[in-house]
Amino acid sequence: MKPRTKIVWKKIFLQILALLFIAFMLLPIYQMVITALRPADLPWESPSSLFPKKVTLSNFAKAFELVPRFPRYLLNSFIYGIGVSFISLIIAIPSGYALARYRFLLKKPLMIFVIYANMFAPIMLLVPIFVIMDGLGLVDSYMGVILAGSVFTIPLSTWLTVSYMQGIPKEIEEAGFVDGCNSFNIIPRVVIPLMKPALVAIFIYSFITGWSQQFILALVLVKDDKLMPIAQGLYQFFSRSSVRWNELMAAILLSTLVPIFLFLVVQKYIVRGLTSGSIK
Amino acid sequence: MKKFVVLMLVAFLFVGLAFSEETLRVLLPIGGGYTIEDQEAIGNEYEEANPGVNVEMEFVGWSNLWNKIITSIGSGSAPDVMYIGSRWIPALADLGAIIPLDEYISQEKRDMYYDSVWDTVSYSGKTYGVVRAMSTKAFIYNKEMFAENNLDIHKNWTELKTAAKVIDNSGSDVYGIGLAGQRFVSTVTQFQQYLYANGGNIVNKEGEAIINNENGVQALDFYVELSEYSQPGISEWKREDLIKLFESGKIGMFIDHIHNAKAAEEKGIDVGIFPIPTGPMGDKPYSTVIVTDCISISSQSKNKELAKDFMNFMTSFEKQKKWDLTLGFVPPMVEEKELPEFQTEFWKPYVEAIQYGVPEAVNIKDWEGVQQAVIDALQKVILGQSTPQEAMDTAAYLINLLQGN
Amino acid sequence: MEKLKKTHVPYILIIPLLLAFIVLIGFPLLNVLKTSFYKGTFLNPSAQSFVGTANYEWLFNFKIYNPDVSYFVSAFSRSLLWVAMSVIIKVVVGILAAVLLDSKYLIGKKIYRALVVIPWAIPWAIAAMMWAWTLNSQFGIVNSILLKSGLVDSPVSFFSSTSGAFMTTFVIDAWAGMPFMVIMFISGLQNIPETYYEAARLDGAGAWKQFFKITLPIMKPVTLTVSLLSMVWTFNSFDVIWVLTQGGPVRATETLPIAIYNTSFRMLRMGGIGKASAMTIVQVLVVTFISVFYIRTLREDEA
């Protein structure tokens, strides 16, 4: 009997640990949810109650009222997400294929540069990117933000395609060549279908980056409210006057549903894509 | 490559379209009550009255307004009409980014406003903006709490401190006063109330830093003393969040705009208002900081006449009155003040305070930098890192550097 | 004709990548380098004047806020400490959490793993806003829990002291980066054959011994590479601190990225683009330095 009870205790212990850890990871989300569901006309409670006594869905509707461009911000974030993932894919696919399959002069330095470029973050290139976009007339434009955002997703995306390609046996392409493909249309016909998990990973990663992690880029490149992404658009309503927290939390909750949903649906692919190849 | 060419073509197309009618570009803020619809309505009205003119409004959140202004000036694409915080006038005027408006403002228009209002938009003897929004502040207090503790409205700092102490001690869950201390623009204004009430200022008429004189140091000292009877950890709080404390009955009083007084009333608090009491070294019965925003015209504008016309249109008596009533802003025009709408129990202290008000930032060339210096001083003393005198001396040193003295 | 084309193919395929690198990374980098030798502000970019190495000297001479240490050096050292703390938490907690979530004794593993990833999907700036509210001394649930469980007598204010703000921000940053670490570590763990553990168990080794003697050593390469990556990403972190404290109170949380932003946009008279560029070049050098290590380790792995 003893080893069995030992195992049962072990299971209980681990379960508690896991619950505590997840609680820590989801704590602010819980706070957001109970604030969003709390009727806005109730005075604030201090200390706040841990479980909502009254719930309402009115804050969600009110959020749209208070932030009239809310749907627009959502759309903008979506556009940035799609734009950045589109560009990342367009660049990563041919480059990944070339770097994985061919030997050529620039290969080594380019590979190193791909890994190196991965280390850059928007804050470092903020001013010159602004100057360049300004010179191209792309400040306050969708294209400008998409291009600037892609700068930071292209390296990792390329790296992913290269790693993934390296893990795929060459026989399949060789069969394609035998079938009559040339060096170029082999890509859409054979390579892309083969790379699906990596492509999904790239799509999700760059979409989420384009959708949400663009805070500082949007801060500098986008001043016109019509083009504001979600994070920026909502942050604006934080300043100058007292914040309607309940409605703001409702708005934030709504806006995070999209990436969370996407994430949960495809997280299998992300893990697979990220961990195949040379990272191990 | 192809993308680049396409981009250029598209860009040319847009430029071409823009020349088909006269366009006036107007930069306006949103957030904190400023809505897009209200402001666009003004634009549409103007377009109807002036066919052939296209009013193009650009909206930016308040936190991005300064960034937007400087980057668009720097890239030569500044809008014609710009809504700016008057505190930015010295910096923008020095750069030649905005033009003096004296010749565009008739004597009649001048007389419509208080003198102290024009003070807020003057620099080097010239006027650079027409005031669009003005705010003064007063103390908002919880009448019930005061009655429970037998407190009256205070007329000086001693009474203020006593009241804060009494309320603070009246319960473990209640604090005397709400104070702000977070690294944010509104915190500076909160402190300035005490600075001005004590007869002090950040710089003098010549632009030299005087924040570390007796008045300033005493004000800082008092602010920190008060924090003993305020909510704990004031560095965590912005002025904009203090209302939550008040609404939940945790503080007895705090300084804020009128619309928060109304908001608290809606949540069931018995609200009262009193003007900010004068400090031991002050020479007026009470005081307040006058903060204004104004409409300015950029020097890069190619439609200055049109811009001036629109500016006057936006700031007509009727429009100004509607704007102020809707947003809860203090009326900058003399006639407005006499209107019955502004004579209510809530409005009176805010309106009366104008005569004793001091503009927020006059003769300050780099407001963003000066702000940082003042907040540093405040936070240092709150954290116990320096004495008020030391903190103010450092602030004065930095401010003089920023002023180019 | 066919032969010629074959050797040219890769070059054609990489054209988009090259373009992107040159235009979007190369030019900006060179531009930053160039600007670091000039003086100017955003308001008047055309009025830039050449100042040689003056900006770099400024990095070490500008001692207004602290007579002993220059503005740049303070920000830099703050970054070093802040990054170290955040990465340590991410790695240590990350590995432990990965072991936990991969354990065969844990019921509902898959659900936990799906949940742990959620923070990653939230924009950092927004996550920071949420944490600000959660940790609020009067209205946040953290204080509520602390007070109601009797752990503290009066509300805890997380941001109002210099050390408090410093610690709270790097903990929140660690939280934001945790999903990535956990995922990486879990996949690393799954590569360890079960047979190793079985052998150890037969030898009488307990759970902790197995962890230290089998898990950690095999995980070393993954840990190293992931830590280096995290170091770089954390070094560049801006959003979290900006939203929470804006570098305050009194610069306690002003890391290098924040200082660069302030120098470019907030300190019009004392700062300027030139100086910010000089700071950025130093940041680039640090990142390059770490990357060299990183690339070396990857190469070793491949060999």
Side-chain angles (χ1 to χ4, degrees):
Chain A
M1 272 301 141
K2 262 203 184 154
R4 264 183 94 192
T5 35
K6 234 187 171 181
I7 291 184
V8 170
W9 276 117
K10 203 171 186 172
K11 283 192 178 176
I12 296 178
F13 179 62
L14 289 182
Q15 200 72 236
I16 294 179
L17 272 184
L19 281 169
L20 282 174
F21 180 66
I22 291 293
F24 170 64
M25 292 309 284
L26 297 182
L27 200 61
I29 298 174
Y30 182 67
Q31 169 81 71
M32 182 172 74
V33 169
I34 57 176
T35 311
L37 291 175
R38 194 160 194 271
D41 50 1
L42 280 185
W44 297 99
E45 253 185 339
S46 167
S48 98
S49 53
L50 291 172
F51 301 101
K53 293 187 195 97
K54 267 197 198 176
V55 291
T56 174
L57 290 177
S58 63
N59 293 323
F60 292 92
K62 207 91 210 281
F64 282 93
E65 232 185 88
L66 281 177
V67 186
R69 288 220 166 123
F70 193 31
R72 180 66 189 250
Y73 298 149
L74 279 173
L75 179 68
N76 291 340
S77 285
F78 191 75
I79 294 180
Y80 294 135
I82 295 281
V84 170
S85 33
F86 185 65
I87 295 198
S88 305
L89 284 170
I90 293 239
I91 295 193
I93 294 176
S95 328
Y97 179 61
L99 285 168
R101 288 290 188 252
Y102 288 87
R103 290 173 162 251
F104 53 101
L105 208 60
L106 288 178
K107 174 169 168 164
K108 263 210 176 126
L110 206 54
M111 266 313 299
I112 293 185
F113 198 75
V114 166
I115 299 175
Y116 177 53
N118 199 18
M119 308 290 192
F120 282 78
I123 180 70
M124 297 161 72
L125 302 177
L126 201 54
V127 174
I129 286 187
F130 173 77
V131 172
I132 291 181
M133 290 302 162
D134 200 35
L136 288 173
L138 291 175
V139 177
D140 268 342
S141 72
Y142 284 113
M143 205 44 170
V145 180
I146 291 177
L147 282 178
S150 314
V151 173
F152 306 99
T153 54
I154 289 173
L156 188 62
S157 308
T158 311
W159 190 6
L160 281 176
T161 46
V162 172
S163 310
Y164 205 76
M165 258 337 302
Q166 285 174 341
I168 295 179
K170 295 191 186 171
E171 284 79 45
I172 310 182
E173 289 139 66
E174 276 165 25
F177 282 125
V178 165
D179 266 355
C181 287
N182 64 36
S183 325
F184 290 103
N185 62 12
I186 187 86
I187 298 182
R189 292 226 191 127
V190 177
V191 174
I192 291 184
L194 278 178
M195 283 212 271
K196 261 211 283 229
L199 295 186
V200 175
I202 294 174
F203 176 75
I204 297 299
Y205 164 70
S206 15
F207 181 83
I208 291 202
T209 306
W211 167 282
S212 58
Q213 309 298 13
Q214 302 260 60
F215 187 66
I216 189 171
L217 274 179
L219 199 60
V220 173
L221 287 174
V222 178
K223 299 300 162 36
D224 187 356
D225 189 67
K226 288 193 273 238
L227 291 106
M228 284 292 183
I230 277 286
Q232 264 292 1
L234 292 179
Y235 182 64
Q236 282 175 154
F237 284 85
F238 255 102
S239 60
R240 244 263 155 138
S241 189
S242 47
V243 178
R244 309 280 288 267
W245 279 95
N246 304 81
E247 292 87 343
L248 184 62
M249 289 294 151
I252 293 178
L253 192 58
L254 281 179
S255 65
T256 48
L257 282 180
V258 172
I260 290 180
F261 178 70
L262 268 176
F263 226 83
L264 289 177
V265 163
V266 296
Q267 55 142 351
K268 250 194 308 183
Y269 290 109
I270 305 183
V271 177
R272 228 197 285 172
L274 275 176
T275 58
S276 69
S278 48
I279 300 189
K280 281 185 296 214
Chain B
M1 244 322 153
K2 218 195 267 180
K3 281 188 198 131
F4 186 74
V5 173
V6 171
L7 263 166
M8 288 282 101
L9 282 175
V10 172
F12 274 125
L13 213 82
F14 272 110
V15 169
L17 276 177
F19 276 123
S20 54
E21 42 174 8
E22 259 198 294
T23 306
L24 189 71
R25 292 173 52 220
V26 183
L27 179 64
L28 296 166
I30 53 167
Y34 296 69
T35 66
I36 298 176
E37 296 90 37
D38 288 339
Q39 300 184 93
E40 272 188 342
I42 300 178
N44 292 335
E45 241 189 271
Y46 190 76
E47 280 175 351
E48 272 174 38
N50 296 281
V53 175
N54 175 29
V55 176
E56 205 182 278
M57 292 188 159
E58 293 170 27
F59 295 99
V60 182
W62 246 103
S63 47
N64 291 334
L65 192 55
W66 173 242
N67 275 1
K68 165 91 177 182
I69 291 175
I70 62 177
T71 48
S72 58
I73 290 175
S75 57
S77 58
D80 302 289
V81 176
M82 302 193 291
Y83 184 106
I84 63 177
S86 309
R87 56 175 80 109
W88 298 329
I89 286 182
L92 293 174
D94 267 348
L95 273 164
I98 54 179
I99 59 173
L101 301 174
D102 302 87
E103 51 178 23
Y104 293 132
I105 301 173
S106 63
Q107 188 57 45
E108 204 191 320
K109 184 136 188 133
R110 257 190 208 277
D111 290 337
M112 283 169 81
Y113 299 83
Y114 293 97
D115 279 341
S116 49
V117 170
W118 286 116
D119 281 343
T120 64
V121 291
S122 312
Y123 181 65
S124 296
K126 307 203 192 89
T127 311
Y128 284 93
V130 173
V131 170
R132 177 49 162 171
M134 178 164 104
S135 78
T136 59
K137 298 234 183 46
F139 262 105
I140 302 176
Y141 74 100
N142 187 323
K143 279 189 180 164
E144 219 181 294
M145 264 191 218
F146 270 49
E148 277 171 17
N149 292 290
N150 291 321
L151 292 168
D152 225 340
I153 306 179
H154 353 291
K155 306 249 170 35
N156 58 47
W157 282 10
T158 324
E159 288 175 14
L160 178 63
K161 186 163 146 194
T162 317
K165 196 168 177 180
V166 166
I167 297 181
D168 202 61
N169 290 336
S170 69
S172 63
D173 236 12
V174 176
Y175 308 109
I177 184 172
L179 291 175
Q182 204 192 98
R183 200 174 191 80
F184 208 67
V185 52
S186 49
T187 305
V188 178
T189 323
Q190 284 271 299
F191 169 66
Q192 265 179 306
Q193 303 287 357
Y194 296 89
L195 182 63
Y196 288 177
N198 207 28
N201 208 323
I202 300 180
V203 296
N204 61 16
K205 282 201 208 72
E206 283 79 41
E208 293 159 1
I210 55 170
I211 197 173
N212 56 341
N213 60 13
E214 251 190 278
N215 313 55
V217 175
Q218 191 178 44
L220 181 54
D221 203 27
F222 186 67
Y223 197 86
V224 178
E225 259 184 66
L226 272 183
S227 67
E228 278 176 57
Y229 310 115
S230 74
Q231 85 278 16
I234 68 175
S235 302
E236 199 191 327
W237 295 88
K238 305 203 258 285
R239 190 260 308 159
E240 290 84 348
D241 294 329
L242 295 176
I243 177 73
K244 299 192 200 70
L245 288 169
F246 189 71
E247 279 171 358
S248 48
K250 300 221 78 163
I251 54 175
M253 53 184 161
F254 72 117
I255 298 178
D256 208 341
H257 288 297
I258 187 174
H259 60 76
N260 277 336
K262 296 190 180 154
E265 203 184 35
E266 280 167 30
K267 286 243 166 107
I269 307 277
D270 191 10
V271 180
I273 321 255
F274 65 87
I276 298 171
T278 191
M281 291 180 74
D283 53 359
K284 297 178 260 199
Y286 42 84
S287 85
T288 187
V289 176
I290 296 187
V291 180
T292 62
D293 299 332
C294 62
I295 313 275
S296 67
I297 300 181
S298 86
S299 53
Q300 289 174 17
S301 168
K302 308 220 169 47
N303 299 320
K304 296 201 177 73
E305 275 299 314
L306 192 58
K308 156 207 159 206
D309 203 44
F310 185 73
M311 182 177 74
N312 282 326
F313 180 77
M314 260 185 95
T315 55
S316 66
F317 181 75
E318 282 305 315
K319 293 243 171 354
Q320 189 64 45
K321 173 178 130 189
K322 184 169 166 208
W323 176 260
D324 292 326
L325 280 173
T326 325
L327 290 169
F329 281 139
V330 178
M333 294 184 178
V334 183
E335 254 190 80
E336 266 185 283
K337 179 193 162 207
E338 308 302 324
L339 293 171
E341 290 95 327
F342 291 114
Q343 300 302 317
T344 65
E345 190 200 331
F346 274 14
W347 269 115
K348 256 209 146 113
Y350 286 94
V351 171
E352 297 291 315
I354 302 177
Q355 55 188 310
Y356 296 119
V358 181
E360 170 191 46
V362 187
N363 290 323
I364 293 185
K365 298 190 189 160
D366 179 359
W367 178 247
E368 294 288 316
V370 168
Q371 220 175 272
Q372 305 289 318
V374 175
I375 290 236
D376 277 353
L378 184 66
Q379 288 188 327
K380 269 194 246 178
V381 180
I382 291 174
L383 290 171
Q385 282 178 10
S386 10
T387 65
Q389 185 69 56
E390 284 167 359
M392 284 310 207
D393 284 337
T394 314
Y397 172 65
L398 284 170
I399 295 175
N400 277 326
L401 266 182
L402 289 168
Q403 294 284 88
N405 291 339
Chain C
M1 195 50 183
E2 267 291 314
K3 271 206 173 151
L4 263 173
K5 243 197 166 181
K6 256 260 151 98
T7 43
H8 283 162
V9 167
Y11 290 103
I12 299 178
L13 286 176
I14 59 166
I15 284 179
L17 186 66
L18 275 178
L19 250 186
F21 276 172
I22 294 176
V23 174
L24 297 173
I25 297 187
F27 275 159
L29 250 184
L30 287 175
N31 187 289
V32 174
L33 188 59
K34 169 188 158 238
T35 322
S36 69
F37 295 110
Y38 281 73
K39 178 177 141 137
T41 71
F42 251 120
L43 277 168
N44 232 336
S46 47
Q48 287 194 8
S49 43
F50 184 73
V51 289
T53 51
N55 288 331
Y56 289 95
E57 287 165 36
W58 178 87
L59 290 181
F60 299 99
N61 291 341
F62 189 61
K63 297 191 178 163
I64 294 202
Y65 296 114
N66 183 332
D68 306 313
V69 189
S70 77
Y71 178 64
F72 168 72
V73 172
S74 314
F76 190 74
S77 28
R78 251 177 244 123
S79 269
L80 288 179
L81 183 60
W82 194 84
V83 170
M85 301 310 306
S86 178
V87 173
I88 290 177
I89 297 180
K90 281 189 254 207
V91 171
V92 171
V93 178
I95 293 188
L96 293 174
V99 168
L100 176 65
L101 294 188
D102 192 49
S103 162
K104 59 184 184 193
Y105 294 117
L106 190 67
I107 311 169
K109 257 194 297 195
K110 287 215 171 126
I111 303 179
Y112 284 121
R113 278 192 240 179
L115 289 177
V116 89
V117 164
I118 289 184
W120 199 9
I122 302 178
W124 293 317
I126 292 194
M129 279 188 240
M130 285 167 18
W131 269 112
W133 190 228
T134 311
L135 292 172
N136 186 279
S137 54
Q138 296 293 322
F139 303 113
I141 56 179
V142 171
N143 265 300
S144 185
I145 296 175
L146 289 175
L147 285 167
K148 290 189 181 171
S149 63
L151 283 169
V152 297
D153 299 315
S154 54
V156 176
S157 179
F158 289 90
F159 295 105
S160 62
S161 67
T162 45
S163 47
F166 193 76
M167 287 196 287
T168 312
T169 45
F170 70 63
V171 169
I172 295 181
D173 184 81
W175 172 92
M178 194 66 71
F180 179 74
M181 306 299 269
V182 172
I183 300 265
M184 290 276 105
F185 286 134
I186 288 184
S187 68
L189 284 175
Q190 288 175 338
N191 276 330
I192 305 179
E194 183 66 24
T195 45
Y196 286 25
Y197 291 115
E198 276 172 22
R201 232 171 294 139
L202 287 174
D203 270 353
W208 280 115
K209 224 177 179 183
Q210 290 173 40
F211 180 69
F212 283 108
K213 293 264 160 134
I214 303 178
T215 318
L216 281 187
I218 300 190
M219 291 276 277
K220 211 163 87 166
V222 178
T223 313
L224 195 56
T225 52
V226 165
S227 310
L228 286 173
L229 247 186
S230 181
M231 260 189 251
V232 173
W233 284 347
T234 312
F235 198 72
N236 292 332
S237 170
F238 176 85
D239 301 14
V240 170
I241 299 183
W242 186 254
V243 169
L244 291 171
T245 59
Q246 298 219 335
V250 200
R251 273 179 297 284
T253 55
E254 196 177 30
T255 54
L256 194 58
I258 305 268
I260 294 179
Y261 184 84
N262 276 335
T263 310
S264 310
F265 293 99
R266 288 278 185 96
M267 296 160 57
L268 282 185
R269 285 182 167 245
M270 296 197 290
I273 317 186
K275 299 178 178 116
S277 302
M279 286 167 124
T280 308
I281 292 292
V282 176
Q283 189 174 4
V284 170
L285 287 175
V286 170
V287 165
T288 311
F289 186 64
I290 303 182
S291 314
V292 167
F293 269 125
Y294 187 69
I295 296 176
R296 280 231 183 113
T297 11
L298 281 184
R299 294 262 140 136
E300 270 167 30
D301 270 2
E302 270 174 45

